Amino acid sequence: MASDSGDGHATLKRCLGVLRDARNDSEQFAALLLVTKAVKAGEVDAKTRRQIFDAIGFTFPTRLLTSRQPPAGCPPHTFRALGLTLLACFCTDPELAGHSQILNKIPTFNEILLSPCDSDSTSMVDDVYQCLSAVLATARGPRELVTKGTVSALCQAYLNGGHGSDRALTLLVGLLAIAEAKCWQRDAPQLLAVLSKLSGDFLKAEDMTKFELCEVLPHFIPLSPPLTENSEGSECLCRLYKGLADVLGSKLSQSQRDPALKLAAGLVQAYGAEWIPAGSAGSKFLALLVNLACVEVRLTLEEPDPMEMEGKKEVMTACYVLMEMGIQECLREENPLLENVQKMQLMRIMEEAFGAVIFYLRQVKQEELQDPFIFASVRVLGAWMAEETSSLKQEICELLPFLVDYARKLFKEGSPAVSLPQAELDSTKGSALPQDALRFLLPGFCHLTAEDRPRDILISEGAPALLCEYFLQQWEVLTSKSTAPAPLTSTEMSLQTVCGIFLNLVVTAPDLVRCDKTFSSLMDVLLTSLPLLLPQKHHLVLSANVATLGLMMARILKGSAALQGTKSAEKFFGAAIRFLSEAHTAQADPSSDGLAMVVSPTYVSAWDDICELWFLGMQALAGCIPLFPWLPHTILQAHWLQGLSQLLSRVVPSSVDFELVTAFQAVLVELARASEQCRDVILSHHGTEWASLYGMAALEQCLAEQGGASSNPGGK
């Protein structure tokens, strides 16, 4: 055998010499036939391959591909087949596979895939697939394949079911894994046709094919365009639901159940529970999905085997996606898929599974913190903490030091950890930075800071300083983006939730706010951020959070140099006053001939989210007025006092509810006490009369007392 191999190499070298020195096409062609024979026999190593390329380059294979005149007695595609064999040989060298001379032949490769294939041309198809696979593995390859129409060609080749169609599917899976959005953007109808076939095969299959398709199908479930937009896509989802219901309702081995759970998680990741039909069958299926996921999590995490664990992380992350859906569906009140009894059962089952997640996280070692599975585990626990505040309280409190430390490490180090494919439930894949574990913990922390024990733990672990740094970073992210209205981003949501946490600390731990330098730094940020934020009405909810938090902190940090009539303080209070003053207006009252006080049109859509903040802000402003002697003048400059006095004079008193009257009165009383000029403005707008009409006894008394004092300066 060694002698044969040596003879083969010697022959190949002679052929290369002939190729270099050939005087005409017939000599070159004869030598080329021997070279391609050696290539096909697998006798070419990397060194020899390079020698072949050095001898003939890309020019000769290119000529062969375009030649339409085969040698006498040869099939029509002889030259083309030889050219493809040489290119397939070159493509085994990654450097050559990404060469522009290969990339510009992609349209030719596509054309061959779509040409009728007989027994003589199967080797051409094999060579094309080898070239395309090599191109896909290069840096520029995926983009070139998408833009030059290979997705459509592969879809058609797979649907035609001809020679190598299984390789077409494998290539499609590879392309979608790298460039899903671009593939669907360009070739949605063709990809949908493939998904339609795959989902039909999945539903009909009765053998192991069903489980093999479970592995393939998640790659063909797009986030955009949603399959729910047209009937063909909806039918695909329906077939996938029925197929999964059939699979998961049967007795399965581990190797069969795991792919099914991953497929279900892929569907949930893309469409939530939309693909599960309403009704008894759908609710049972949903409950089964969550139940199976919880069982899997408990079995794997309660007694983790390090060796077994490594192979289970992907399916475990899929189970987390299903559990997160379970939380959402148990809390859904409008058109719920689950009945109340099912919800209660699932919450109990999920509580046990989250107990296992906590147990697992308590075993994590420092050197494991970069593991994406730790990130996925923290994320799903964050989803539970955000919604379920009463269960596992003790266990969560014990885990808090780890959670704060983990979030801090990832945040400070800019962790290279990357979420596993199923870990993202967002509308856009990869929208969360992998190091942003805090984003998923914030809602839970917001609940916990309202309670004594967990709040004390969070404070002792340095959470306030971390959250202040995080607020600064997220603020920079927000302000670096376009100011055009856009859907609520995770950045804006995070900023709002951090404000909520700090509001809890301001109310429950004022001494901490007073003494910890973190809050002085935060106050400086709030002073400068609100004036920038408020003019952008699409940020109204965030503005409400920043304004209210700033006003409440100002009461505690009254001695801070930044608040002593500085430009930034005046601008902040000016913006806060504008936020509070523009919330209400007068509108014709259909039930009477007069005007009613109503929420301003620009505030209506957000009022449910900011109503409580507005009242807190009014209360905080009233508390600030006696603390900052320059503040009444700022309020007068903003013309709010004049505007509010006019508004109260014009509207029907019965249209102003008691809570609103109380809020207005608190501010008006403090202004009347603190500033003679403010009192004069109120009186000049018939303040005594409307104070009586609204039952503002404290304001009436204040106006009377102050009036008496000013008319009798010598009186005691």
Side-chain angles (χ1 to χ4, degrees), residues 601-613:
T602 51
Y603 282 59
V604 167
S605 62
W607 191 244
D608 286 347
D609 294 318
I610 65 173
C611 172
E612 191 177 342
L613 289 166

Side-chain angles (χ1 to χ4, degrees), residues 45-188:
D45 56 21
K47 183 181 174 185
T48 311
R49 180 178 60 233
R50 199 72 203 197
Q51 287 175 336
I52 297 171
F53 178 72
D54 290 341
I56 63 174
F58 284 116
T59 308
F60 194 62
T62 301
R63 277 177 54 202
L64 290 169
L65 283 179
T66 55
S67 175
R68 299 296 178 190
Q69 294 295 322
C74 293
H77 54 257
T78 301
F79 281 149
R80 184 173 260 206
L82 289 173
L84 284 169
T85 299
L86 288 170
L87 290 177
C89 170
F90 296 162
C91 279
T92 54
D93 181 334
E95 190 180 328
L96 295 179
H99 195 284
S100 58
Q101 285 287 340
I102 294 288
L103 299 180
N104 66 23
K105 291 176 180 55
I106 289 173
T108 304
F109 298 153
N110 297 342
E111 178 201 331
I112 291 165
L113 283 186
L114 297 178
S115 301
C117 178
D118 54 33
S119 56
D120 291 331
S121 56
T122 55
S123 65
M124 288 172 58
V125 173
D126 289 336
D127 286 337
V128 164
Y129 280 125
Q130 187 170 328
C131 292
L132 290 174
S133 299
V135 169
L136 179 62
T138 65
R140 284 175 58 198
R143 184 175 67 252
E144 294 287 328
L145 291 170
V146 172
T147 56
K148 288 184 165 70
T150 302
V151 174
S152 177
L154 290 170
C155 289
Q156 199 54 55
Y158 173 70
L159 292 169
N160 290 344
H163 178 74
S165 60
D166 54 332
R167 295 181 72 178
L169 187 63
T170 303
L171 275 166
L172 278 172
V173 167
L175 260 175
L176 287 166
I178 298 167
E180 178 187 297
K182 285 188 172 65
C183 290
W184 278 96
Q185 192 177 352
R186 186 184 168 95
D187 295 296

Side-chain angles (χ1 to χ4, degrees), residues 375 379 386 407 411 424 426 431-433 435-447 449 463-464 466-478 481 487-503 522 526 533 539 541-543 545-546 549 613:
F375 185 88
R379 174 194 165 129
F411 176 68
E424 285 295 346
D426 295 85
S431 61
L433 291 172
Q435 63 266 30
D436 197 1
L438 256 178
R439 172 158 83 92
F440 302 108
L441 292 169
L442 290 176
F445 284 179
C446 197
H447 292 312
T449 46
L466 172 61
L467 290 169
C468 185
E469 284 184 63
Y470 183 75
F471 185 94
L472 278 168
Q473 185 227 48
Q474 293 292 296
W475 172 251
E476 285 175 16
V477 171
L478 185 79
K481 292 181 180 176
L488 183 65
T489 62
S490 61
T491 300
E492 191 163 357
M493 198 71 214
S494 293
L495 285 166
Q496 289 176 23
T497 312
V498 175
C499 286
I501 294 171
F502 283 131
L503 278 169
L522 178 62
L526 299 178
L533 198 58
H539 290 314
V541 177
L542 181 55
S543 296
N545 277 275
V546 171
L549 176 60
L613 289 166

Side-chain angles (χ1 to χ4, degrees), residues 310-330:
E310 204 52 47
K312 296 284 293 180
K313 285 177 178 175
E314 199 176 335
V315 73
M316 288 297 298
T317 313
C319 290
Y320 287 167
V321 172
L322 298 174
M323 286 163 61
E324 199 163 337
M325 175 193 66
I327 296 168
Q328 291 163 359
E329 289 305 315
C330 284

Side-chain angles (χ1 to χ4, degrees), residues 227-241:
L227 294 175
T228 46
E229 277 186 357
N230 61 59
S231 58
E232 190 178 359
S234 297
E235 285 167 17
C236 290
L237 288 175
C238 184
R239 287 193 287 269
L240 292 174
Y241 158 71

